[in-house]
Amino acid sequence: MARPIQRVENYTTPALVMGFVNLIWVFGVIWVVWGLPAVMLTGLAMNYAITFLERRVRNR
């Protein structure tokens, strides 16, 4: 017997907040270990990767 479809909670905001928190601590660790230039290069690489994925999804 099928159950009726119910509303579910929207976890988008908590997921984005936790993603931001994780990004901050990872950048902090990279900064402590290798310095600010490594953090900047990591951010640049992530920017290029996100842009690449965005274009790939948009072209589908």
Side-chain angles (χ1 to χ4, degrees):
M1 180 153 77
R3 293 185 290 172
I5 297 175
Q6 299 176 355
R7 294 188 65 162
V8 296
E9 291 187 46
N10 184 358
Y11 288 110
T12 303
T13 301
L16 289 173
V17 168
M18 286 310 300
F20 177 72
V21 168
N22 285 325
L23 184 66
I24 293 299
W25 79 258
V26 168
F27 278 169
V29 169
I30 292 171
W31 192 342
V32 167
V33 174
W34 292 294
L36 184 58
V39 174
M40 294 171 65
L41 290 174
T42 304
L44 184 64
M46 289 179 61
N47 184 36
Y48 282 132
I50 291 169
T51 303
F52 173 77
L53 291 173
E54 178 186 14
R55 288 183 186 155
R56 187 172 174 189
V57 168
R58 191 182 306 153
N59 288 335
R60 280 190 174 182

